[in-house]
Amino acid sequence: MGETIRVVLVDDQEMVRDGLGALLSSAPDIELVGEAGDGLHAVELAARLRPDVVVMDIRMPGMDGLTATGRIIGDEPDGTTPGILILTTFDLDEYVYEALALGASGFLLKDAPARDLIDAVRVVARGEALLAPSVTRRLIADFARRRRSGSLRPEAAAALTQRELDVLQEVSRGLSNAEIAERLVLSEQTVKTHVGRILAKLGLRDRTQAVVFAYENGLTPPPGGDG
């Protein structure tokens, strides 16, 4: 499956780390290169080991996963930060939304099936956003509505062409490039180009931040009761 995915695992509970670490190490394309029990250690490991993915718990004593996420993403120049996969017990958690807004690539519930964690690490390692579950879109929509009045950037949205706005709306629904291409009758490469231009024009790190932007600026209708 290509090169090995190097992972740092962060959780304050040793038994949880042991279980998740054994699970990740069982995948032939994943190498667990470090473990941390708090956010401060996670930041140090991310800087020293340069992993591809950090699997990050949110609620920890001392430096929590939210602060650590901001530090890890803010400490490195664009394009060199690891993908951050948030692990949480709570699917509608404001901390998770804040982590996504900071640039985390997605989140997974701790009670998800084991196979889901391995698949999620692979998705994040490819630089994609883990946005398919409808609960993720509901989470973003809910908290974006609460923040919207102070987060609008109409001048940024105005810089997008109509086709770029169309693509952004589909991205915010969690669709892949292939699905967007089919829906808008474009080539997949054209969609990829549009996504790159959208991120550049809006000054966003990845697709997850594009989704947050779309919801906060009212560019995407709430997902309602889907999923």
Side-chain angles (χ1 to χ4, degrees):
M1 188 181 170
E3 295 184 3
T4 300
I5 302 167
R6 302 174 72 255
V7 175
V8 164
L9 174 62
V10 186
D11 196 291
D12 65 320
Q13 298 181 51
E14 186 174 356
M15 288 182 65
V16 172
R17 289 201 311 275
D18 287 347
L20 294 178
L23 173 63
L24 291 169
S25 297
S26 71
D29 57 329
I30 294 176
E31 178 187 5
L32 185 63
V33 296
E35 298 183 25
D38 60 72
L40 189 61
H41 191 200
V43 172
E44 186 271 322
L45 285 182
R48 178 162 56 86
L49 299 176
R50 300 297 180 98
D52 302 301
V53 177
V54 176
V55 178
M56 179 79 76
D57 189 20
I58 279 282
R59 298 177 180 232
M60 297 180 288
M63 182 185 290
D64 63 20
L66 176 63
T67 304
T69 295
R71 287 273 299 275
I72 290 170
I73 291 174
D75 282 351
E76 298 291 342
D78 290 344
T80 63
T81 56
I84 296 184
L85 175 65
I86 299 297
L87 281 184
T88 179
T89 309
F90 310 97
D91 57 358
L92 292 177
D93 185 335
E94 187 162 9
Y95 289 108
V96 175
Y97 170 77
E98 294 293 342
L100 295 176
L102 284 168
S105 296
F107 80 96
L108 196 66
L109 296 181
K110 285 187 176 181
D111 61 359
R115 170 56 53 181
D116 286 4
L117 175 59
I118 292 173
D119 290 343
V121 166
R122 290 170 176 160
V123 168
V124 171
R126 290 197 300 266
E128 299 175 15
L130 195 69
L131 295 172
S134 61
V135 66
T136 306
R137 299 195 300 277
R138 283 200 298 271
L139 171 85
I140 293 172
D142 182 33
F143 287 108
R145 267 196 303 272
R146 299 185 195 182
R147 291 180 22 152
R148 186 173 292 165
S149 60
S151 303
L152 290 175
R153 291 169 55 197
E155 74 291 344
L160 301 179
T161 66
Q162 184 56 53
R163 180 53 88 188
E164 288 165 350
L165 284 170
D166 293 340
V167 170
L168 177 57
Q169 288 179 337
E170 301 304 331
V171 168
S172 71
R173 292 185 173 102
L175 299 186
S176 67
N177 286 351
E179 291 167 332
I180 296 171
E182 181 177 359
R183 191 175 183 114
L184 297 182
V185 195
L186 299 169
S187 73
E188 192 170 341
Q189 181 57 47
T190 298
V191 173
K192 185 176 181 180
T193 299
H194 281 312
V195 171
R197 288 175 178 165
I198 290 165
L199 297 180
K201 285 183 177 182
L202 299 180
L204 303 175
R205 180 175 183 265
D206 56 20
R207 293 172 83 99
T208 307
Q209 288 195 327
V211 174
V212 172
F213 177 92
Y215 278 115
E216 287 187 342
N217 286 273
L219 300 178
T220 303
D226 68 316

